[in-house]
Coordinates of all heavy atoms in Angstrom, one line a residue:
M51 N 276.8 -112.3 9.9 CA 276.0 -112.0 11.1 C 275.1 -110.8 10.7 O 275.5 -109.9 10.2 CB 276.9 -111.6 12.2 CG 276.2 -111.4 13.5 SD 277.3 -111.0 14.9 CE 278.0 -112.6 15.2
N52 N 273.8 -110.9 11.1 CA 272.9 -109.9 10.8 C 272.6 -109.0 12.0 O 273.0 -109.3 13.1 CB 271.6 -110.4 10.1 CG 270.9 -111.4 11.0 OD1 271.1 -111.4 12.2 ND2 270.0 -112.1 10.4
E53 N 271.8 -108.0 11.8 CA 271.5 -107.0 12.8 C 270.7 -107.6 14.0 O 270.9 -107.3 15.1 CB 270.7 -105.8 12.3 CG 271.6 -104.8 11.7 CD 270.7 -103.6 11.2 OE1 270.3 -102.9 12.0 OE2 270.6 -103.5 10.0
R54 N 269.8 -108.5 13.6 CA 269.0 -109.1 14.7 C 269.8 -110.0 15.6 O 269.6 -110.0 16.8 CB 267.8 -109.9 14.0 CG 266.8 -109.0 13.4 CD 265.7 -109.8 12.8 NE 264.8 -108.8 12.1 CZ 263.8 -109.2 11.4 NH1 263.4 -110.5 11.3 NH2 263.0 -108.3 10.8
A55 N 270.7 -110.7 15.0 CA 271.6 -111.6 15.9 C 272.4 -110.7 16.8 O 272.6 -111.1 18.0 CB 272.5 -112.4 15.0
V56 N 273.0 -109.6 16.3 CA 273.7 -108.7 17.2 C 272.9 -108.1 18.3 O 273.3 -108.0 19.4 CB 274.5 -107.7 16.3 CG1 275.1 -106.6 17.2 CG2 275.5 -108.3 15.4
S57 N 271.7 -107.8 17.9 CA 270.7 -107.2 18.9 C 270.4 -108.2 20.0 O 270.3 -107.9 21.2 CB 269.5 -106.7 18.2 OG 269.7 -105.7 17.4
I58 N 270.2 -109.5 19.6 CA 269.8 -110.5 20.5 C 271.0 -110.8 21.4 O 270.9 -111.1 22.6 CB 269.3 -111.8 19.8 CG1 268.0 -111.5 19.1 CG2 269.3 -113.0 20.7 CD1 267.5 -112.5 18.2
I59 N 272.2 -110.8 20.8 CA 273.4 -111.0 21.6 C 273.7 -109.9 22.7 O 274.1 -110.2 23.8 CB 274.7 -111.2 20.7 CG1 274.6 -112.5 19.9 CG2 276.0 -111.2 21.5 CD1 275.6 -112.6 18.8
S60 N 273.3 -108.7 22.3 CA 273.6 -107.6 23.2 C 272.7 -107.5 24.4 O 273.0 -107.0 25.4 CB 273.5 -106.3 22.4 OG 272.2 -106.0 22.0
V61 N 271.5 -108.1 24.3 CA 270.6 -108.1 25.5 C 271.1 -108.9 26.7 O 271.2 -108.3 27.8 CB 269.2 -108.7 25.1 CG1 268.3 -108.9 26.3 CG2 268.5 -107.8 24.1
P62 N 271.6 -110.1 26.6 CA 272.2 -110.7 27.8 C 273.5 -110.1 28.3 O 273.8 -110.1 29.4 CB 272.4 -112.2 27.4 CG 272.1 -112.3 26.0 CD 271.5 -111.0 25.5
L63 N 274.2 -109.5 27.3 CA 275.5 -108.8 27.7 C 275.1 -107.6 28.6 O 275.8 -107.4 29.7 CB 276.3 -108.3 26.5 CG 277.0 -109.4 25.7 CD1 277.6 -108.8 24.5 CD2 278.0 -110.1 26.6
L64 N 274.2 -106.8 28.2 CA 273.8 -105.6 29.0 C 273.1 -106.0 30.3 O 273.3 -105.4 31.3 CB 272.9 -104.7 28.2 CG 273.5 -104.0 27.0 CD1 272.5 -103.3 26.2 CD2 274.6 -103.1 27.4
A65 N 272.3 -107.1 30.3 CA 271.7 -107.6 31.5 C 272.7 -108.1 32.5 O 272.6 -107.8 33.7 CB 270.7 -108.7 31.2
T66 N 273.7 -108.8 32.0 CA 274.8 -109.3 32.9 C 275.5 -108.1 33.5 O 275.9 -108.1 34.6 CB 275.7 -110.2 32.1 OG1 275.0 -111.2 31.5 CG2 276.8 -110.7 32.9
A67 N 275.8 -107.1 32.7 CA 276.5 -105.9 33.2 C 275.7 -105.2 34.3 O 276.2 -104.7 35.3 CB 276.8 -104.9 32.1
F68 N 274.4 -105.1 34.1 CA 273.5 -104.5 35.2 C 273.4 -105.3 36.4 O 273.4 -104.8 37.5 CB 272.1 -104.2 34.6 CG 272.1 -103.0 33.7 CD1 271.5 -103.2 32.4 CD2 272.6 -101.8 34.1 CE1 271.5 -102.1 31.6 CE2 272.5 -100.7 33.2 CZ 271.9 -100.9 32.0
I69 N 273.4 -106.7 36.3 CA 273.2 -107.5 37.4 C 274.5 -107.7 38.2 O 274.5 -107.6 39.4 CB 272.6 -108.9 37.0 CG1 271.2 -108.7 36.5 CG2 272.6 -109.9 38.1 CD1 270.6 -109.9 35.8
Y70 N 275.5 -108.1 37.5 CA 276.8 -108.5 38.2 C 277.8 -107.4 38.2 O 278.8 -107.5 38.9 CB 277.4 -109.7 37.5 CG 276.6 -110.9 37.6 CD1 276.0 -111.5 36.5 CD2 276.4 -111.5 38.9 CE1 275.2 -112.6 36.6 CE2 275.6 -112.6 39.0 CZ 275.0 -113.2 37.9 OH 274.2 -114.3 38.0
G71 N 277.6 -106.3 37.5 CA 278.6 -105.3 37.4 C 279.7 -105.6 36.5 O 279.5 -106.4 35.5
G72 N 280.9 -105.0 36.7 CA 282.0 -105.2 35.7 C 282.6 -106.6 35.8 O 282.9 -107.1 36.9
H73 N 282.9 -107.2 34.7 CA 283.6 -108.4 34.5 C 284.4 -108.3 33.3 O 283.9 -107.9 32.2 CB 282.6 -109.6 34.5 CG 283.3 -110.9 34.6 ND1 283.8 -111.5 33.5 CD2 283.5 -111.7 35.7 CE1 284.3 -112.7 33.9 NE2 284.2 -112.8 35.2
P74 N 285.6 -108.7 33.3 CA 286.5 -108.6 32.1 C 286.0 -109.2 30.8 O 286.1 -108.6 29.7 CB 287.8 -109.2 32.5 CG 287.8 -109.2 34.0 CD 286.4 -109.3 34.4
I75 N 285.4 -110.4 30.9 CA 284.9 -111.1 29.7 C 283.7 -110.4 29.2 O 283.6 -110.2 27.9 CB 284.6 -112.6 30.0 CG1 285.9 -113.3 30.4 CG2 283.9 -113.2 28.9 CD1 285.7 -114.7 30.9
N76 N 282.8 -110.0 30.0 CA 281.6 -109.3 29.6 C 282.0 -107.9 29.0 O 281.5 -107.5 28.0 CB 280.7 -109.1 30.7 CG 279.3 -108.6 30.3 OD1 278.9 -109.0 29.2 ND2 278.7 -107.8 31.1
D77 N 283.0 -107.2 29.6 CA 283.4 -105.9 29.1 C 284.1 -106.1 27.7 O 283.8 -105.3 26.8 CB 284.4 -105.3 30.0 CG 283.8 -104.7 31.3 OD1 282.6 -104.5 31.2 OD2 284.5 -104.5 32.2
M78 N 284.9 -107.1 27.5 CA 285.5 -107.3 26.1 C 284.4 -107.7 25.1 O 284.4 -107.2 24.0 CB 286.5 -108.5 26.2 CG 287.8 -108.1 26.7 SD 288.6 -106.8 25.6 CE 290.1 -106.7 26.3
L79 N 283.4 -108.5 25.5 CA 282.4 -108.8 24.5 C 281.5 -107.6 24.2 O 281.1 -107.4 23.0 CB 281.5 -109.9 25.1 CG 282.1 -111.3 25.1 CD1 281.2 -112.3 25.8 CD2 282.4 -111.8 23.7
M80 N 281.3 -106.7 25.2 CA 280.5 -105.5 24.9 C 281.4 -104.6 24.0 O 280.8 -103.8 23.2 CB 280.2 -104.8 26.2 CG 279.0 -105.4 26.9 SD 278.5 -104.7 28.5 CE 279.0 -103.0 28.4
G81 N 282.7 -104.6 24.2 CA 283.6 -103.8 23.4 C 283.6 -104.2 21.9 O 284.0 -103.4 21.1
I82 N 283.2 -105.4 21.7 CA 283.1 -105.9 20.3 C 281.7 -105.8 19.7 O 281.4 -105.2 18.6 CB 283.5 -107.4 20.2 CG1 285.0 -107.5 20.6 CG2 283.3 -108.0 18.8 CD1 285.5 -108.9 20.8
V83 N 280.7 -106.2 20.5 CA 279.3 -106.3 20.0 C 278.7 -104.9 19.8 O 278.0 -104.6 18.8 CB 278.4 -107.1 21.0 CG1 277.0 -107.0 20.7 CG2 278.9 -108.6 20.9
L84 N 278.9 -104.0 20.8 CA 278.3 -102.6 20.6 C 278.8 -101.8 19.4 O 278.0 -101.3 18.7 CB 278.4 -101.9 21.9 CG 277.7 -102.5 23.1 CD1 277.9 -101.7 24.4 CD2 276.2 -102.6 22.8
P85 N 280.1 -101.8 19.2 CA 280.5 -101.1 17.9 C 280.1 -101.8 16.7 O 279.7 -101.1 15.7 CB 282.1 -101.1 18.0 CG 282.4 -101.2 19.5 CD 281.3 -102.1 20.0
V86 N 280.0 -103.1 16.7 CA 279.5 -103.8 15.5 C 278.0 -103.5 15.3 O 277.6 -103.3 14.1 CB 279.7 -105.4 15.6 CG1 279.0 -106.1 14.6 CG2 281.2 -105.7 15.5
H87 N 277.3 -103.4 16.4 CA 275.8 -103.1 16.3 C 275.7 -101.7 15.7 O 274.8 -101.4 14.8 CB 275.2 -103.2 17.6 CG 273.8 -102.9 17.7 ND1 272.8 -103.7 17.1 CD2 273.1 -101.8 18.2 CE1 271.6 -103.1 17.3 NE2 271.8 -102.0 18.0
A88 N 276.5 -100.7 16.2 CA 276.4 -99.4 15.7 C 276.8 -99.3 14.2 O 276.3 -98.6 13.4 CB 277.3 -98.4 16.5
Y89 N 277.9 -100.1 13.9 CA 278.3 -100.1 12.5 C 277.2 -100.6 11.5 O 277.0 -100.0 10.5 CB 279.5 -101.1 12.4 CG 279.9 -101.4 10.9 CD1 280.7 -100.4 10.2 CD2 279.6 -102.5 10.3 CE1 281.1 -100.7 8.9 CE2 279.9 -102.8 9.0 CZ 280.7 -101.9 8.3 OH 281.1 -102.1 7.0
M90 N 276.5 -101.7 11.9 CA 275.5 -102.2 11.1 C 274.3 -101.2 11.0 O 273.7 -101.0 9.9 CB 274.9 -103.5 11.6 CG 275.9 -104.6 11.5 SD 275.2 -106.1 12.1 CE 276.4 -107.3 11.6
G91 N 274.0 -100.5 12.0 CA 272.9 -99.5 11.9 C 273.3 -98.3 11.1 O 272.5 -97.9 10.2
F92 N 274.5 -97.8 11.2 CA 274.9 -96.7 10.4 C 275.1 -97.1 8.9 O 275.0 -96.3 8.0 CB 276.2 -96.0 10.9 CG 275.9 -95.1 12.1 CD1 276.4 -95.4 13.3 CD2 275.1 -94.0 11.9 CE1 276.2 -94.5 14.4 CE2 274.9 -93.1 13.0 CZ 275.4 -93.4 14.2
Q93 N 275.5 -98.3 8.7 CA 275.7 -98.8 7.4 C 274.3 -98.8 6.6 O 274.2 -98.4 5.4 CB 276.2 -100.2 7.4 CG 276.6 -100.8 6.0 CD 277.1 -102.2 6.1 OE1 276.8 -102.9 7.0 NE2 277.9 -102.6 5.1
Q94 N 273.3 -99.1 7.3 CA 271.9 -99.1 6.7 C 271.5 -97.6 6.4 O 270.9 -97.4 5.4 CB 270.9 -99.8 7.6 CG 271.0 -101.2 7.7 CD 270.9 -101.9 6.3 OE1 270.1 -101.6 5.5 NE2 271.8 -102.8 6.1
V95 N 271.9 -96.7 7.3 CA 271.6 -95.3 7.0 C 272.3 -94.8 5.8 O 271.8 -94.2 4.9 CB 272.0 -94.4 8.2 CG1 271.9 -93.0 7.9 CG2 271.1 -94.8 9.4
L96 N 273.6 -95.2 5.7 CA 274.4 -94.8 4.5 C 273.8 -95.5 3.2 O 273.7 -94.8 2.1 CB 275.8 -95.3 4.6 CG 276.6 -94.5 5.7 CD1 278.1 -95.1 5.7 CD2 276.6 -93.0 5.4
L97 N 273.3 -96.7 3.3 CA 272.7 -97.3 2.1 C 271.4 -96.7 1.7 O 271.1 -96.6 0.5 CB 272.5 -98.8 2.4 CG 273.7 -99.7 2.4 CD1 273.3 -101.1 2.9 CD2 274.4 -99.7 1.1
D98 N 270.7 -96.2 2.7 CA 269.4 -95.6 2.4 C 269.5 -94.2 1.9 O 268.8 -93.8 0.9 CB 268.5 -95.5 3.7 CG 268.0 -96.9 4.1 OD1 268.0 -97.8 3.2 OD2 267.5 -97.0 5.2
Y99 N 270.4 -93.4 2.4 CA 270.5 -92.0 2.1 C 271.6 -91.6 1.1 O 271.5 -90.6 0.5 CB 270.6 -91.1 3.3 CG 269.4 -91.2 4.2 CD1 269.4 -91.8 5.4 CD2 268.2 -90.5 3.8 CE1 268.2 -91.9 6.1 CE2 267.1 -90.5 4.5 CZ 267.1 -91.2 5.7 OH 266.0 -91.3 6.5
F100 N 272.6 -92.4 1.0 CA 273.7 -92.2 0.0 C 273.9 -93.4 -0.9 O 274.8 -94.2 -0.7 CB 275.0 -91.9 0.8 CG 274.9 -90.6 1.6 CD1 274.7 -90.7 3.0 CD2 275.0 -89.4 1.0 CE1 274.6 -89.5 3.7 CE2 274.9 -88.2 1.8 CZ 274.7 -88.3 3.1
D101 N 272.9 -93.5 -1.8 CA 273.0 -94.6 -2.8 C 274.2 -94.5 -3.6 O 274.6 -93.5 -4.1 CB 271.7 -94.5 -3.6 CG 271.6 -95.7 -4.5 OD1 272.0 -96.8 -4.1 OD2 270.9 -95.6 -5.6
A102 N 274.9 -95.7 -3.8 CA 276.1 -95.7 -4.5 C 275.9 -95.4 -6.0 O 276.9 -94.9 -6.7 CB 276.7 -97.1 -4.4
R103 N 274.7 -95.6 -6.6 CA 274.5 -95.2 -8.0 C 274.4 -93.7 -8.2 O 274.7 -93.2 -9.2 CB 273.3 -95.9 -8.5 CG 273.5 -97.4 -8.7 CD 272.2 -98.1 -9.1 NE 271.4 -98.1 -7.9 CZ 270.1 -98.4 -7.8 NH1 269.5 -98.9 -8.9 NH2 269.4 -98.4 -6.7
R104 N 273.8 -93.1 -7.2 CA 273.5 -91.6 -7.3 C 274.7 -90.8 -6.7 O 275.0 -89.7 -7.2 CB 272.3 -91.3 -6.5 CG 271.9 -89.9 -6.7 CD 270.5 -89.6 -6.1 NE 270.1 -88.2 -6.2 CZ 269.1 -87.7 -5.7 NH1 268.3 -88.4 -4.9 NH2 268.9 -86.4 -5.9
W105 N 275.3 -91.3 -5.6 CA 276.5 -90.6 -5.0 C 277.7 -91.6 -4.9 O 278.0 -92.0 -3.8 CB 276.1 -90.2 -3.6 CG 274.8 -89.4 -3.5 CD1 273.6 -89.9 -3.2 CD2 274.7 -88.0 -3.6 NE1 272.7 -88.9 -3.2 CE2 273.3 -87.7 -3.4 CE3 275.6 -87.0 -3.8 CZ2 272.8 -86.4 -3.4 CZ3 275.1 -85.7 -3.8 CH2 273.7 -85.4 -3.6
P106 N 278.3 -91.9 -6.0 CA 279.4 -92.9 -6.0 C 280.6 -92.5 -5.1 O 281.1 -93.4 -4.4 CB 279.7 -93.1 -7.5 CG 279.3 -91.9 -8.1 CD 278.1 -91.4 -7.4
V107 N 281.0 -91.3 -5.2 CA 282.2 -90.9 -4.5 C 281.9 -90.7 -3.0 O 282.6 -91.2 -2.1 CB 282.9 -89.6 -5.1 CG1 284.0 -89.2 -4.3 CG2 283.3 -89.9 -6.5
I108 N 280.9 -90.0 -2.7 CA 280.5 -89.7 -1.3 C 280.2 -91.0 -0.6 O 280.5 -91.2 0.5 CB 279.3 -88.7 -1.3 CG1 279.8 -87.4 -1.8 CG2 278.8 -88.6 0.1 CD1 278.6 -86.4 -1.9
S109 N 279.5 -91.9 -1.3 CA 279.1 -93.2 -0.7 C 280.4 -94.0 -0.3 O 280.4 -94.5 0.8 CB 278.3 -94.0 -1.7 OG 278.0 -95.3 -1.2
R110 N 281.3 -94.0 -1.2 CA 282.6 -94.8 -0.9 C 283.4 -94.1 0.2 O 283.9 -94.8 1.1 CB 283.4 -94.9 -2.2 CG 284.6 -95.8 -2.0 CD 285.4 -96.0 -3.3 NE 284.5 -96.6 -4.2 CZ 284.5 -96.4 -5.5 NH1 285.4 -95.5 -6.1 NH2 283.7 -97.0 -6.4
V111 N 283.4 -92.8 0.2 CA 284.2 -92.1 1.3 C 283.5 -92.4 2.6 O 284.2 -92.6 3.7 CB 284.3 -90.6 1.0 CG1 284.8 -89.8 2.2 CG2 285.2 -90.4 -0.2
L112 N 282.2 -92.3 2.7 CA 281.5 -92.5 3.9 C 281.6 -93.9 4.4 O 281.6 -94.2 5.6 CB 280.0 -92.1 3.8 CG 279.8 -90.6 3.7 CD1 278.3 -90.3 3.4 CD2 280.3 -89.8 4.9
K113 N 281.6 -94.9 3.5 CA 281.8 -96.3 3.9 C 283.1 -96.5 4.6 O 283.2 -97.2 5.6 CB 281.6 -97.2 2.7 CG 280.2 -97.4 2.3 CD 280.0 -98.3 1.1 CE 278.6 -98.4 0.6 NZ 278.5 -99.3 -0.5
Y114 N 284.2 -95.9 4.0 CA 285.5 -96.1 4.5 C 285.6 -95.3 5.9 O 286.3 -95.8 6.8 CB 286.6 -95.6 3.6 CG 286.8 -96.5 2.4 CD1 286.8 -96.0 1.1 CD2 287.0 -97.9 2.6 CE1 287.1 -96.9 0.0 CE2 287.2 -98.7 1.5 CZ 287.2 -98.2 0.2 OH 287.4 -99.1 -0.8
A115 N 285.0 -94.2 6.0 CA 285.0 -93.4 7.2 C 284.3 -94.2 8.3 O 284.7 -94.2 9.5 CB 284.3 -92.1 7.0
L116 N 283.2 -94.9 8.0 CA 282.4 -95.7 8.9 C 283.3 -96.8 9.4 O 283.3 -97.1 10.6 CB 281.1 -96.2 8.3 CG 280.3 -97.1 9.2 CD1 279.8 -96.3 10.4 CD2 279.1 -97.6 8.4
V117 N 284.0 -97.5 8.5 CA 284.9 -98.6 8.9 C 286.0 -98.0 9.9 O 286.3 -98.7 10.9 CB 285.5 -99.3 7.7 CG1 286.6 -100.2 8.1 CG2 284.4 -100.0 7.0
A118 N 286.6 -96.9 9.5 CA 287.6 -96.3 10.4 C 287.1 -95.9 11.8 O 287.8 -96.2 12.8 CB 288.2 -95.1 9.7
V119 N 285.9 -95.3 11.8 CA 285.4 -94.9 13.1 C 285.0 -96.1 13.9 O 285.2 -96.2 15.2 CB 284.1 -94.0 12.9 CG1 283.4 -93.8 14.2 CG2 284.6 -92.7 12.4
T120 N 284.5 -97.2 13.3 CA 284.2 -98.4 14.0 C 285.5 -99.1 14.6 O 285.5 -99.5 15.7 CB 283.5 -99.4 13.1 OG1 282.3 -98.8 12.6 CG2 283.1 -100.7 13.9
G121 N 286.5 -99.1 13.8 CA 287.8 -99.6 14.2 C 288.4 -98.8 15.4 O 288.9 -99.4 16.4
L122 N 288.3 -97.5 15.3 CA 288.7 -96.6 16.4 C 287.9 -96.8 17.7 O 288.5 -96.8 18.8 CB 288.7 -95.2 16.0 CG 289.8 -94.7 15.0 CD1 289.6 -93.3 14.6 CD2 291.2 -94.9 15.6
S123 N 286.6 -97.0 17.5 CA 285.8 -97.2 18.7 C 286.1 -98.6 19.4 O 286.1 -98.7 20.6 CB 284.3 -97.1 18.4 OG 283.9 -98.1 17.5
M124 N 286.4 -99.6 18.5 CA 286.8 -100.9 19.1 C 288.2 -100.8 19.8 O 288.4 -101.4 20.9 CB 286.9 -102.0 18.0 CG 285.5 -102.4 17.6 SD 285.7 -103.7 16.3 CE 284.3 -104.6 16.6
F125 N 289.1 -100.0 19.2 CA 290.4 -99.8 19.8 C 290.2 -99.1 21.1 O 290.9 -99.4 22.1 CB 291.3 -99.0 18.9 CG 292.6 -98.7 19.5 CD1 293.6 -99.7 19.7 CD2 292.9 -97.4 19.9 CE1 294.8 -99.4 20.3 CE2 294.2 -97.1 20.5 CZ 295.1 -98.1 20.7
G126 N 289.4 -98.0 21.2 CA 289.1 -97.3 22.4 C 288.5 -98.2 23.5 O 288.9 -98.1 24.7
A127 N 287.6 -99.0 23.1 CA 287.0 -100.0 24.1 C 288.0 -100.9 24.6 O 288.1 -101.3 25.8 CB 285.8 -100.7 23.4
W128 N 288.9 -101.4 23.7 CA 290.0 -102.3 24.1 C 290.9 -101.6 25.1 O 291.3 -102.2 26.1 CB 290.8 -102.8 22.9 CG 291.9 -103.6 23.3 CD1 292.0 -104.9 23.7 CD2 293.3 -103.2 23.3 NE1 293.2 -105.3 23.9 CE2 294.1 -104.3 23.7 CE3 293.9 -102.0 23.0 CZ2 295.5 -104.2 23.8 CZ3 295.3 -101.9 23.1 CH2 296.1 -103.0 23.5
R129 N 291.2 -100.3 24.9 CA 292.1 -99.6 25.8 C 291.4 -99.4 27.1 O 292.1 -99.5 28.2 CB 292.5 -98.2 25.2 CG 293.4 -98.2 24.0 CD 294.8 -98.5 24.4 NE 295.3 -97.3 25.2 CZ 296.5 -97.2 25.6 NH1 297.3 -98.1 25.4 NH2 296.8 -96.1 26.3
I130 N 290.2 -99.1 27.1 CA 289.5 -98.9 28.4 C 289.4 -100.2 29.2 O 289.6 -100.2 30.4 CB 288.0 -98.3 28.2 CG1 288.1 -96.9 27.7 CG2 287.2 -98.5 29.4 CD1 286.8 -96.3 27.2
N131 N 289.2 -101.3 28.4 CA 289.2 -102.6 29.1 C 290.5 -103.1 29.6 O 290.6 -103.8 30.7 CB 288.6 -103.6 28.2 CG 287.1 -103.5 28.0 OD1 286.4 -103.0 28.9 ND2 286.6 -103.9 26.8
T132 N 291.6 -102.8 28.9 CA 292.9 -103.3 29.3 C 293.7 -102.4 30.3 O 294.4 -102.9 31.1 CB 293.7 -103.7 28.1 OG1 293.9 -102.5 27.3 CG2 293.1 -104.8 27.3
T133 N 293.5 -101.1 30.1 CA 294.4 -100.2 30.9 C 293.6 -99.4 31.9 O 294.2 -98.7 32.8 CB 295.1 -99.2 30.0 OG1 294.2 -98.4 29.3 CG2 296.0 -99.9 29.0
D134 N 292.3 -99.5 31.9 CA 291.5 -98.7 32.8 C 290.5 -99.7 33.6 O 290.8 -100.8 33.7 CB 290.7 -97.6 32.1 CG 290.3 -96.4 32.9 OD1 290.7 -96.4 34.1 OD2 289.7 -95.5 32.3
V135 N 289.4 -99.2 34.0 CA 288.5 -100.0 34.9 C 287.6 -100.9 34.1 O 286.9 -101.8 34.7 CB 287.6 -99.0 35.8 CG1 288.5 -98.3 36.7 CG2 286.8 -98.1 34.9
G136 N 287.4 -100.8 32.8 CA 286.5 -101.6 32.0 C 285.3 -100.8 31.6 O 285.0 -99.8 32.2
L137 N 284.6 -101.3 30.6 CA 283.5 -100.5 30.1 C 282.3 -100.3 31.0 O 281.8 -99.3 31.2 CB 283.0 -101.2 28.8 CG 283.8 -101.0 27.5 CD1 283.2 -101.8 26.4 CD2 283.9 -99.5 27.2
T138 N 282.0 -101.4 31.8 CA 280.9 -101.3 32.7 C 281.2 -100.3 33.8 O 280.3 -99.5 34.1 CB 280.6 -102.7 33.3 OG1 280.5 -103.7 32.3 CG2 279.4 -102.7 34.2
E139 N 282.3 -100.3 34.4 CA 282.7 -99.4 35.5 C 282.8 -98.0 34.9 O 282.5 -97.0 35.5 CB 283.9 -99.8 36.2 CG 283.8 -101.1 36.9 CD 282.8 -101.0 38.1 OE1 282.6 -100.0 38.7 OE2 282.1 -102.0 38.3
Y140 N 283.3 -97.9 33.7 CA 283.5 -96.6 33.0 C 282.2 -95.9 32.8 O 282.0 -94.7 33.1 CB 284.3 -96.8 31.7 CG 284.6 -95.5 31.0 CD1 285.6 -94.7 31.4 CD2 283.8 -95.1 29.9 CE1 285.9 -93.5 30.8 CE2 284.1 -93.9 29.3 CZ 285.2 -93.1 29.7 OH 285.4 -91.9 29.0
F141 N 281.2 -96.7 32.3 CA 279.9 -96.1 32.1 C 279.2 -95.8 33.4 O 278.3 -94.9 33.5 CB 279.0 -97.0 31.2 CG 279.5 -96.9 29.7 CD1 279.8 -98.0 29.0 CD2 279.6 -95.7 29.1 CE1 280.1 -97.9 27.7 CE2 279.9 -95.6 27.8 CZ 280.2 -96.7 27.1
A142 N 279.5 -96.6 34.4 CA 278.9 -96.4 35.8 C 279.4 -95.0 36.3 O 278.6 -94.4 37.1 CB 279.2 -97.5 36.7
K143 N 280.6 -94.7 36.0 CA 281.1 -93.4 36.5 C 280.4 -92.2 35.8 O 280.4 -91.1 36.4 CB 282.6 -93.3 36.2 CG 283.5 -94.1 37.1 CD 285.0 -93.9 36.7 CE 285.9 -94.8 37.6 NZ 287.3 -94.5 37.2
L144 N 280.0 -92.4 34.6 CA 279.3 -91.3 33.9 C 278.0 -91.0 34.6 O 277.5 -90.0 34.7 CB 279.1 -91.6 32.4 CG 280.3 -91.8 31.6 CD1 279.9 -92.1 30.2 CD2 281.1 -90.5 31.6

């Protein structure tokens, strides 16, 4: 899956959230798509600025940190969706 596909998928998800409000299926899909979209964007930043040939150790550490942070954000989104009001209602409160 590439970045453009994830961006295209996120448009109807966000539009559905704005039009209909919170829905469990939409909240779960947003909890998957948005962290994956952020992961892909930050992965490109790491590839651009921390080249593996020039910074081999730092590049590897940052890649593992990015995977860990993405996993934690997906877990957090899952917790908000299952034990709280859902992502849409949560962001509406902010």
Side-chain angles (χ1 to χ4, degrees):
M51 186 178 286
N52 61 14
E53 275 183 75
R54 290 182 184 177
V56 172
S57 297
I58 291 171
I59 290 170
S60 66
V61 170
L63 287 176
L64 293 173
T66 303
F68 284 125
I69 294 171
Y70 294 113
H73 190 274
I75 294 173
N76 193 34
D77 286 342
M78 279 296 187
L79 289 173
M80 282 179 27
I82 295 169
V83 170
L84 294 178
V86 168
H87 180 69
Y89 171 80
M90 289 181 171
F92 281 117
Q93 186 180 26
Q94 290 302 316
V95 170
L96 292 179
L97 287 174
D98 288 343
Y99 291 108
F100 296 100
D101 187 28
R103 290 175 289 173
R104 186 171 179 191
W105 309 91
V107 175
I108 294 174
S109 174
R110 187 173 298 144
V111 168
L112 290 175
K113 284 180 186 178
Y114 288 132
L116 179 61
V117 170
V119 168
T120 303
L122 285 174
S123 66
M124 284 181 154
F125 177 72
W128 175 77
R129 290 283 294 182
I130 290 172
N131 285 331
T132 57
T133 61
D134 207 1
V135 294
L137 283 178
T138 306
E139 295 296 326
Y140 184 78
F141 286 126
K143 286 182 182 181
L144 294 177

